[in-house]
Amino acid sequence: STFSPDGTRYVRYDRINQALLYSFDRSTGQLSNLVQLEADTTFEGYDGSIAFSPSGRFLYVNSTLRLYQFDLEASDIQASRMLLGEYDGFLYKDIFPADFGLMQLAPDCRIYFPTRSSTPFYHVINFPDRKGPECGFVQRGLPLIATNIASIPNFPNYRLGTGFPVCDSTIQLVVSSVQVPHPQRRVAVFPNPASSYATIEMPQPLTTDSRWSLYSAVGQRVLSQKLGKGQVRYNVPLAGVPPGLYFWEVRLEGVGLGSGKLVVSE
């Protein structure tokens, strides 16, 4: 279920009842003017999802295998239903189907939705406020840097009632190429206490150069060591570092990969 970006409509969807579209009064919380819209009644696969276009004119409904558009300004909304696309049968690694999952309108005015199985793709509707094929639906239009199973970030609409547009089409989406180690496998620094040197061990080889920094108890950086890509273990000399308690961190392109404490002894 979801609300239209302007807060005047509410819709919920399941494959039995299909899309139930209501007018919504934000002052009273009342739902009214129910319109039931049929999208995909074949009952193939799992329940689908819904999403409004930024202006609220178009309603998108998908099932596991098909994507539809309704024009909410049409005199007969049901008759405006248009099939925009069907799952093309693509299998990631010849096993995982790249079918259709939960849709969401994003801050860049596009609608994204993942696949329901393990694939590195999102499907994209590039111009949701355009009618029919002009909406720019692209299967697997957004490659991801890792496999994803049916999940998508939550995009709350914080702009409702502020005077700002509900989204901004000039936003440029950037998919990072930085490979962050698995959170269950941490950066290790040993021995601890250390004297002449410290060993930094990464959970997996670095894909690009990183940096290990050592800070005093008052936050002053006393040592900084470049960690070259392609390795998992580095020996860092501690010559000139006075005995005491220090704090370390590893950062890769501004992303923190690990941090901790290190005691330097004589």
Side-chain angles (χ1 to χ4, degrees):
S1 62
T2 190
F3 289 92
S4 61
D6 65 2
T8 63
R9 281 177 159 146
Y10 169 81
V11 64
R12 67 177 303 274
Y13 176 81
D14 66 77
R15 62 178 176 171
I16 303 300
N17 297 294
Q18 298 288 293
L20 303 178
L21 177 68
Y22 298 85
S23 297
F24 179 67
D25 189 323
R26 293 179 59 211
S27 299
T28 64
Q30 295 296 309
L31 299 172
S32 60
N33 304 322
L34 170 63
V35 177
Q36 186 173 18
L37 302 172
E38 288 190 350
D40 192 337
T41 58
T42 61
F43 303 115
E44 295 178 299
Y46 301 94
D47 287 343
S49 69
I50 66 267
F52 285 96
S53 68
S55 70
R57 174 178 175 178
F58 295 107
L59 177 67
Y60 292 86
V61 180
N62 71 2
S63 63
T64 305
L65 303 178
R66 300 176 183 87
L67 174 67
Y68 298 89
Q69 182 193 71
F70 291 88
D71 185 349
L72 302 185
E73 293 183 358
S75 57
D76 185 338
I77 298 175
Q78 179 62 52
S80 73
R81 182 186 69 171
M82 185 176 300
L83 177 63
L84 296 179
E86 297 186 74
Y87 165 51
D88 60 10
F90 176 87
L91 297 176
Y92 178 61
K93 294 187 175 180
D94 297 322
I95 299 175
F96 303 105
D99 51 9
F100 301 161
L102 177 66
M103 294 188 290
Q104 277 203 76
L105 176 64
D108 64 357
C109 296
R110 295 171 176 84
I111 292 174
Y112 296 94
F113 47 112
T115 64
R116 293 182 180 273
S117 61
S118 183
T119 76
F121 306 105
Y122 278 172
H123 306 298
V124 184
I125 303 173
N126 286 291
F127 311 105
D129 270 323
R130 298 182 185 179
K131 191 171 184 176
E134 295 299 315
C135 72
F137 169 51
V138 180
Q139 296 192 45
R140 304 179 302 282
L142 176 63
L144 307 176
I145 64 172
T147 54
N148 173 71
I149 305 176
S151 63
I152 189 170
N154 185 30
F155 300 122
N157 176 15
Y158 292 118
R159 300 183 179 187
L160 182 58
T162 66
F164 292 96
V166 298
C167 58
D168 182 354
S169 61
T170 66
I171 292 175
Q172 296 296 311
L173 181 65
V174 176
V175 179
S176 173
S177 61
V178 174
Q179 301 294 317
V180 179
H182 194 282
Q184 298 303 318
R185 302 175 60 198
R186 299 183 178 181
V187 179
V189 176
F190 58 90
N192 195 0
S195 55
S196 57
Y197 70 92
T199 297
I200 296 95
E201 187 172 83
M202 307 299 295
Q204 63 188 40
L206 289 169
T207 58
T208 188
D209 293 342
S210 180
R211 184 161 294 277
W212 184 78
S213 298
L214 192 65
Y215 297 89
S216 69
V218 296
Q220 180 181 6
R221 185 162 66 182
V222 297
L223 184 63
S224 180
Q225 176 69 42
K226 175 183 174 182
L227 307 180
K229 64 180 179 180
Q231 300 182 57
V232 295
R233 182 172 288 192
Y234 308 83
N235 291 326
V236 179
L238 298 176
V241 178
L245 173 64
Y246 295 88
F247 298 88
W248 61 264
E249 70 169 356
V250 177
R251 299 188 70 83
L252 186 154
E253 295 187 358
V255 177
L257 301 184
S259 61
K261 299 177 183 179
L262 178 67
V263 175
V264 177
S265 61
E266 293 183 354

